[in-house]
Amino acid sequence: MNVFAEFQARIAQILHSFMAEGRLPGDLDLSRFVVEPPRDPSHGDLATNAAMVYAKEAKASFSNPREFATAIAYALAGDPDVDAAEVAGPGFINIRLRAHVFADVLRASLANSDYGRPATPDTKPVNVEYVSANPTGPMHVGHGRGAVFGDALANLLAFAGRKVTREYYINDAGAQVDVLARSAFMRYREALGEAIGEIPEGLYPGDYLKPAGQALAKAHGAALRDKPEAEWLPLVRRFAIDAMMDMIRMDLAAMNIRHDVFFSERSLTDNAERTDAVRAVIEDLRARGIVYVGRLPPPKGQLPDDWEDREQTLFRSTDFGDDVDRALMKSDGSYTYFASDIAYHKSKVDRGFTDMIDVWGADHGGYVKRMQAAVKAVSGGEAALDVKLCQLVKLMRGGEPVTMSKRAGTFVTLRDVVDEVGVDAVRFMMLFRKNDATLEFDLAKVIEQSRENPVFYVQYAHARGRSVMRQAKAAFPDLDLETGTLAGAPLDLLADEGEGALARLIAQYPRQIEAAAAAHEPHRIAFYLHDLASLFHSHWNRGKDQPHLRFVNEERRDLTLARVALVASLTSVLASGLGVLGVGAPEEMR
RNA sequence: GACCCCAUAGCUCAGCCGGAUAGAGCAACUGCCUUCUAAGCAGUAGGUCGCAGGUUCGAAUCCUGCUGGGGUCGCCA
């Protein structure tokens, strides 16, 4: 039950009847106005700007927005859920609802575990691609942000009703996996007892390749050692990629992140069917005249030392909104990364997705336009790509930056951070900021048990709510605290202002979900939960000075029941929202 | 040189599709709190929403220009 959506519909109905009566033009777009909570709660429960939005169109019948608003307010006053509808300011309509509406909301949230989901959800499939860290080493903290963001966004969209496919693109083609293979080969020789000394410049020096080297030695003995590189490389490469992906999958599992599809870049050109999807997509675009052989102007500003003007196979991305055309083939005839990426996104289109979201690191910002151009091109304009860029994470400890250097051995992996502060803290903090703002992550702060630590604050609200329910059970052992039973509680006994405020905020959950899903912004849910927790803590504390406000009242079973129902509704919304974020909702804090 | 992101209270940040007097936490000041789960609660004070224009009945929000910070910039991954 979403009171905002409901009143949106009712007001649209009123406007519709005005249209039928000829008081408004018949072609009004009834989706332009909003119904929202007023900034100042003393104004009422709902506010709408409808009269101002359509003031121009209403001019023939109503001389000014206030007069128009008055007419709408008059119609609203007849609604059995409306206590009062008043015109304010330049033409706002403030609506005060009767108390039973919020009781209905609480009942809905208790009776239905789906509370928060849209009543008429958009069920269109959507493909969310996230993480896509190169399979050349363990995940670092920056990957973690994109991973958590993508996972929470996927959860959010799924909760909002979308059919979500979660996807990971494995960059297992290209030069960096050859470097990986050579690095693993060094570790293989090391495992065979050879003194390899320092890992040469240009190879990956990390210890994480040692197990792969040992496993290679175990599987192949010395058989590979003296073969030419061309013979061992494909084998070692495959082996090392699998080892790295296993490691990454474990890192992801430690963060409770899952994917439905792991899509291999190499499989585009190297597969059992012997097809070349990259070539196919280039030929397809060429046939439509948007691929040509030509030259690009040199980049402005700092010219690369080795700049040479060369003919290349180019994609006419400028036709689709990009700044310059982009290369599809290197001068040696091999495909660019971008070309593979087009083929990959084409596969998404071929699998039926017209709605796709990619989650990238901020350093890939320069690729957004060309990828969106490519998606438009390969789908004939049918599909749209939204790219969410996650800005950098600045890792801190007690206000001091954590220095990171691979060489000095102080490199902090994502796994290190998760092991230190726990998965809930990592996930919540990464979501407690807009994706396009840089994030300061303080390892000391997130394990504090205080108001300053939002993870603790929100989880504690849930634990405290559950505790209240346990207390109620202790006071009235015969009380049935099943949510279904609580839905029948005498909710009209909830007369205190603090209780009303909680109910009103609980009533906002569905619209928060809807707005966050539409904007692809899971952080809004984190902030909403923080607000809800804050309101609950402060109401709970009021009970210290004013015992009559306490949730459990041993003399009043009916009142306790009503208040426990409120608490149960609150904890279920907290648990639901935390679930969307992939953060635990603990029964108690330890 | 171009493109992308950011700029809101002393600090860290919210601000929903343009809406009413721009919000929260920390820090500061004042008072309270030893408990239905403790690690706090209530209040006060604090802002030219980077600058300048524009659109609009109405702009922190949209558009243009500028300033400052970050990121990226042919075949790299």
Side-chain angles (χ1 to χ4, degrees), chain A residues 124-135:
Chain A
K124 220 166 67 166
V126 56
N127 183 292
V128 186
E129 178 200 333
Y130 53 103
V131 189
S132 301
N134 287 340

Side-chain angles (χ1 to χ4, degrees), chain A residues 286-465:
Chain A
R286 197 195 304 276
R288 288 153 55 193
I290 44 184
V291 166
Y292 66 103
V293 175
R295 294 165 190 277
L296 282 177
K300 297 281 174 9
Q302 189 88 40
L303 203 62
D305 299 336
D306 56 349
W307 168 262
E308 273 180 69
D309 192 22
R310 283 177 181 157
E311 284 221 319
Q312 291 170 293
T313 299
L314 299 169
F315 166 53
R316 211 178 283 284
S317 52
T318 46
D319 281 5
F320 303 88
D322 200 1
D323 306 312
V324 287
D325 292 339
R326 305 291 177 177
L328 295 173
M329 297 223 259
K330 302 178 197 175
S331 39
D332 67 4
S334 62
Y335 303 131
T336 63
Y337 181 87
F338 179 50
S340 311
D341 241 354
I342 296 178
Y344 170 48
H345 283 79
K346 172 73 159 51
S347 105
K348 295 185 190 176
V349 172
D350 291 344
R351 284 180 279 147
F353 295 104
T354 54
D355 225 348
M356 41 192 107
I357 302 172
D358 286 7
V359 179
W360 296 350
D363 54 341
H364 287 62
Y367 295 81
V368 175
K369 281 188 184 176
R370 79 188 65 169
M371 206 59 244
Q372 288 175 330
V375 165
K376 258 187 247 172
V378 297
S379 68
E382 293 299 308
L385 169 68
D386 185 20
V387 179
K388 305 297 282 187
L389 296 178
C390 287
Q391 291 290 331
L392 301 174
V393 178
K394 278 191 231 161
L395 209 54
M396 315 282 279
R397 181 176 273 114
E400 295 296 315
V402 176
T403 52
M404 280 203 257
S405 159
K406 281 187 186 176
R407 283 275 167 218
T410 55
F411 183 74
V412 181
T413 64
L414 179 61
R415 195 56 185 273
D416 293 338
V417 174
V418 172
D419 289 347
E420 182 173 336
V421 303
V423 58
D424 284 351
V426 172
R427 291 192 61 120
F428 194 91
M429 290 311 293
M430 295 229 169
L431 295 167
F432 200 57
R433 186 106 321 167
K434 285 184 294 205
N435 61 288
D436 47 14
T438 54
L439 172 84
E440 244 177 58
F441 188 103
D442 197 312
L443 293 168
K445 191 140 280 178
V446 297
I447 52 172
E448 272 178 29
Q449 301 204 335
S450 75
R451 180 88 177 82
E452 275 189 74
N453 174 4
V455 191
F456 168 77
Y457 195 66
V458 173
Q459 287 191 318
Y460 181 42
H462 183 267
R464 177 172 261 175

Side-chain angles (χ1 to χ4, degrees), chain A residues 220-241:
Chain A
H220 297 278
L224 302 176
R225 183 169 52 194
D226 301 316
K227 289 192 172 163
E229 179 178 294
E231 281 182 41
W232 58 256
L233 189 94
L235 189 154
V236 173
R237 186 174 58 204
R238 184 72 263 153
F239 193 90
I241 289 169

Side-chain angles (χ1 to χ4, degrees), chain A residues 103-113 115 469 481-489 491 561-562 564-572:
Chain A
D104 289 347
V105 169
L106 293 181
R107 264 189 286 277
S109 74
L110 289 166
N112 183 353
S113 62
Y115 178 67
M469 294 177 71
L481 298 184
E482 288 307 307
T483 53
T485 311
L486 286 174
L491 294 166
L561 187 61
V564 167
L566 174 65
V567 171
S569 170
L570 173 94
T571 52
S572 79

Side-chain angles (χ1 to χ4, degrees), chain A residues 7-19 30 33:
Chain A
F7 271 84
Q8 179 96 28
R10 292 185 200 177
I11 292 165
Q13 188 56 44
I14 289 169
L15 294 172
H16 200 80
S17 69
F18 282 13
M19 281 155 60
L30 291 179
F33 71 98

